Amino acid sequence: MVQTVVLRVHPSRPAAAKIQRAAAVLRQGGLVAFPTETVYGLGANALDAAAVARIFKAKGRPAYDPLIVHLAAPEELPQVAREVPELAWTLARAFWPGPLTLVLPKAPAVPSNVTAGRDTVAVRVPSHPVAAALLRAAGVPVAAPSANRFGHTSPTTAADVLEDLGGLIDLVLDAGPTPVGVESTVLDLTAEEPVVLRPGGVSVEALAAVLGRPPRLARPPLGEDLETPPAGLASPGMLPQHYAPRAELWLLLGPPDAVLTEMRRRTIELARQGRRVGLLVAGEDCPRLQDLPAVIRSAGSARRPATVARGLYTALRELDRRGVDVILARDFGSTGLALAVRDRLLRASGGRVAVVASERSRGTSV
Ligand code: TXA
Ligand code: MG
């Protein structure tokens, strides 16, 4: 165990002395958790293999899962990427600093544990003023996964970081909650055409506007009108569980009205079995569900997906803190940041997905 120092900083005007202290820890090979616009990251000097190894140890992260390298400015790209295609510069101009991660051919200077032995490296320039100040002061590229224990929900506050990693890391810069709330979009530029490996803080629609057409998705999004579970999703355990709360999470997909009706039915049934139920819903759903024997948390407004992204992980952590056994989560669609929300809920479910058909498509037999 180490003593984890917590330094409170202003989110847009962090005190130079505190940033310098955190930067010194990074340069000396230590671990610093810091806010980015997406989630808190757990940083180490990306050019120091021993420091990077400490990230994997603190997180309990398997060595096969590569890290994202954070830079202070796009001009530093050639330090970590062997080749920078014109498209990377175009995307950098459009989205950096910001929540877009580009996968590019790796430069030799990057130790192989950063990229889990791959020949490619994931890179981004974060926009959060505290992250930007820290990267400038450190003067080195910083490898940083989300600052949570492996597989657990990503942290959006310093308290979340301490809950998972207190006593395991040297320092936390606490600048309050992170504004985007879900991780960056990971876009692979090393294939024939750009592929979204993980939907995130930059929407697919925004990428399409710059690319001239929608990018390919590594995982096809589940359709709005989905009436049967996609292959492999019908039974639990088919997906590796990730971004997950402790409670067993079910994602209910389908038209919102049908989903809320099904949520009500399941809640009553689970409560009858003596299980503590948590509901993850939109603010506007709450009045319809208030009478149920469940802990209800709103992630945000379904009409504004960015609010759901911002509130998602906090709501999941709160449900865990309340000690629920099962979480029933509604879907929020696939427009804008809702696609990233769906992706995280899908992974948190470990494949426990129920597709709810609309009343109309079920006919009159119900
Ligand atoms: O918003 C974010 O991206 C946050 C903040 C801290 O920047 N970081 C983050 O890191 O979410 P992490 O480690 O939790 O997720 C990194 C993702 C993983 O899905 C990893 O597999 C993928 O990026 N990744 C990293 N390097 C890669 C590579 N060379 N090729 C393909 N995927 C890669
Ligand atoms: Mg993570």
Side-chain angles (χ1 to χ4, degrees):
M1 291 288 264
V2 295
Q3 174 84 27
T4 302
V5 174
V6 181
L7 299 180
R8 279 209 63 112
V9 289
H10 191 280
S12 51
R13 293 183 309 281
K18 291 178 181 173
I19 293 294
Q20 285 301 338
R21 183 168 167 192
V25 172
L26 286 176
R27 279 195 303 268
Q28 287 154 18
L31 298 184
V32 173
F34 61 98
T36 78
E37 66 279 19
T38 58
V39 300
Y40 276 73
L42 177 59
N45 177 353
L47 303 180
D48 176 346
V52 169
R54 282 186 203 112
I55 292 181
F56 285 91
K57 187 146 182 274
K59 283 197 57 142
R61 183 177 176 114
Y64 60 75
D65 198 0
L67 307 178
I68 295 173
V69 175
H70 296 66
L71 303 176
E75 300 76 69
E76 295 174 2
L77 256 185
Q79 281 183 37
V80 296
R82 192 175 67 238
E83 269 165 58
V84 183
E86 196 43 47
L87 181 58
W89 292 118
T90 303
L91 290 163
R93 273 192 300 275
F95 298 109
W96 284 356
L100 177 66
T101 294
L102 299 177
V103 176
L104 297 166
K106 166 187 158 333
V110 179
S112 66
N113 60 350
V114 171
T115 62
R118 296 174 194 226
D119 196 29
T120 57
V121 64
V123 196
R124 83 180 189 98
V125 177
S127 64
H128 195 296
V130 173
L134 178 65
L135 288 163
R136 272 196 306 274
V140 290
V142 171
S146 52
N148 52 280
R149 291 282 298 173
F150 182 70
H152 196 198
T153 311
S154 294
T156 53
T157 67
D160 297 343
V161 175
L162 291 168
E163 198 176 302
D164 272 26
L165 299 174
L168 297 172
I169 63 178
D170 300 298
L171 193 143
V172 183
L173 288 173
D174 176 359
T178 56
V180 176
V182 292
E183 301 80 354
S184 62
T185 301
V186 180
L187 186 70
D188 187 356
L189 293 184
T190 65
E192 298 249 302
E193 53 171 323
V195 181
V196 174
L197 301 180
R198 176 179 74 180
V202 167
S203 72
V204 166
E205 294 89 333
L207 283 176
V210 173
L211 295 171
R213 61 178 163 141
R216 201 152 71 74
L217 302 179
R219 282 149 69 81
L222 303 170
E224 259 12 335
D225 52 352
L226 201 71
E227 305 249 316
T228 50
L233 283 181
S235 59
M238 296 302 289
L239 280 175
Q241 210 176 356
H242 210 86
Y243 304 100
R246 274 174 281 267
E248 170 185 320
L249 184 142
W250 281 87
L251 173 60
L252 306 187
L253 280 169
D257 265 353
V259 161
L260 293 186
T261 304
E262 176 66 7
M263 208 176 239
R264 166 173 293 279
R265 193 190 68 72
R266 286 186 180 225
T267 301
I268 293 167
E269 178 58 28
L270 287 162
R272 196 177 289 138
Q273 294 165 14
R275 307 192 75 188
R276 284 174 61 85
V277 183
L279 302 181
L280 181 88
V281 295
E284 51 270 37
D285 303 332
C286 291
R288 274 182 64 176
L289 303 168
Q290 240 146 23
D291 59 306
L292 287 172
V295 182
I296 304 176
R297 281 290 173 280
S298 154
S301 165
R303 286 186 292 275
R304 290 186 296 141
T307 65
V308 179
R310 192 178 306 135
L312 177 70
Y313 289 144
T314 298
L316 287 175
R317 283 190 185 250
E318 277 176 15
L319 288 170
D320 258 344
R321 248 175 243 131
R322 292 288 300 271
V324 301
D325 306 309
V326 183
I327 296 172
L328 304 178
R330 66 161 278 178
D331 178 50
F332 294 88
S334 59
T335 307
L337 295 203
L339 185 64
V341 170
R342 178 186 284 174
D343 172 78
R344 304 309 186 270
L345 287 173
L346 201 50
R347 299 200 209 196
S349 78
R352 294 184 197 90
V353 177
V355 181
V356 186
S358 66
E359 293 301 324
R360 201 176 337 131
S361 71
R362 269 197 226 145
T364 51
S365 61
V366 210

